[in-house]
């Protein structure tokens, strides 16, 4: 898949403020320091698509972009280290919860995890939440350029071991690096495959 156009739609504080549900959406979410903005910029081929901040938790709204005029990329607020007041933090989490549970055109969630870290309780809790609410997702282990391949594989294996009892069939796993662009074709391929399935279903 080539991305020929990327148009910013809106920054929505809640589900009701999101655009209409006419286009398929693919959402990206992870802990606040997982490298989400860099990954989105890498995937889109546009360095300024998502603002990269040195302050963890900078993204506080649901940011929506229309890609190729046919699907939307959704940048969800990170969880864990957002520098916001407790009441605001719960509001942001509530907005994300409502989006993930009730957005009818949400096709897939890309759950981002730092490949350089052992399993984090926040990440485990979020994946368990996605599983319990039957939200379709894949796991994306980021920042593979910052740790040795051995450490990356050990951390992935440890994470999958922790969640193995939750599934009959485990979720798909991808690794990526915004710096080296490792994983870009595979992640865009997941979206292309989903879009092809949607077009096929519409023809039927």
């Amino acid at each position: 898949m080539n991305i020929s156009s990327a148009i910013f739609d809106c920054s929505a504080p809640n589900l009701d403020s999101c655009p209409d549900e006419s286009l398929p959406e693919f959402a990206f979410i992870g802990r606040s320091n997982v490298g989400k903005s860099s990954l989105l910029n890498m995937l889109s081929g546009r360095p300024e698509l998502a603002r990269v901040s040195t302050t963890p938790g900078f993204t506080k709204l649901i940011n929506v972009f229309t890609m190729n005029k046919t699907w939307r990329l959704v940048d969800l607020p990170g969880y864990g280290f957002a520098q916001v007041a407790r009441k605001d933090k719960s509001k942001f989490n509530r907005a994300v919860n409502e989006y993930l549970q009730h957005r009818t055109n949400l096709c897939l969630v890309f759950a981002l995890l730092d490949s350089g870290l052992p399993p984090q309780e926040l990440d485990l809790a979020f994946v368990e939440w996605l599983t319990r609410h039957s939200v379709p997702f894949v796991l994306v282990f980021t920042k593979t350029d910052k740790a040795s391949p051995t450490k990356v594989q050990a951390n992935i294996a440890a994470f999958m071991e922790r969640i193995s009892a939750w599934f009959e069939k485990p979720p798909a796993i991808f690794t990526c690096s915004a710096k080296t662009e490792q994983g870009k074709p595979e992640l865009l391929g997941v979206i292309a495959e989903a879009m092809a399935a949607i077009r096929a279903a519409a023809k039927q």
Side-chain angles (χ1 to χ4, degrees), residues 75-88:
D75 179 6
L76 293 173
Y79 52 86
F81 299 107
Q83 298 297 310
V84 293
R86 185 176 296 275
K87 63 178 183 179
D88 287 337

Side-chain angles (χ1 to χ4, degrees), residues 15-201:
L15 180 60
D16 290 340
S17 304
C18 289
D20 63 49
E21 299 180 327
S22 59
L23 295 180
E25 291 179 355
F26 298 85
F28 290 74
I29 188 170
R31 289 196 314 138
S32 300
N33 58 348
V34 78
K36 175 166 53 73
S37 296
S38 298
L39 173 63
L40 296 181
N41 293 341
M42 180 266 282
L43 289 177
S44 67
R46 288 157 176 78
E48 304 302 324
L49 182 78
R51 180 171 173 181
V52 179
S53 173
T54 55
T55 305
F58 181 80
T59 304
K60 299 181 178 68
L61 300 169
I62 299 172
N63 293 316
V64 184
F65 305 85
T66 295
M67 317 300 284
N68 292 348
K69 300 179 181 179
T70 56
W71 59 278
R72 295 194 190 110
L73 183 156
V74 181
D75 179 6
L76 293 173
Y79 52 86
F81 299 107
Q83 298 297 310
V84 293
R86 185 176 296 275
K87 63 178 183 179
D88 287 337
K89 190 171 179 180
S90 66
K91 182 171 69 175
F92 295 137
N93 287 343
R94 185 164 63 248
V96 170
N97 289 355
E98 290 178 355
Y99 174 86
L100 292 173
Q101 289 189 77
H102 303 300
R103 188 67 167 167
T104 60
N105 57 326
L106 173 62
C107 295
L108 188 66
V109 173
F110 292 78
L112 309 183
L113 310 163
D114 190 332
S115 68
L117 298 175
Q120 303 292 297
E121 294 304 319
L122 275 170
D123 293 330
L124 291 163
F126 181 67
V127 169
E128 191 273 336
W129 186 93
L130 290 174
T131 305
R132 184 157 34 89
H133 289 88
S134 301
V135 179
F137 70 95
V138 297
L139 298 177
V140 182
F141 289 85
T142 65
K143 303 182 183 180
T144 54
D145 59 288
K146 297 184 181 298
S148 70
T150 302
K151 184 175 183 180
V152 167
Q153 290 306 314
N155 289 336
I156 292 174
F159 193 90
M160 297 309 292
E161 169 107 16
R162 291 284 301 271
I163 69 172
S164 61
W166 303 345
F167 314 95
E168 288 185 12
K169 181 182 179 183
I173 302 169
F174 299 90
T175 56
C176 68
S177 163
K179 184 176 181 180
T180 67
E181 298 201 349
Q182 181 223 336
K184 180 177 181 177
E186 290 80 4
L187 294 176
L188 290 177
V190 170
I191 296 172
E193 188 176 320
M195 290 296 294
I198 291 168
R199 285 192 294 268

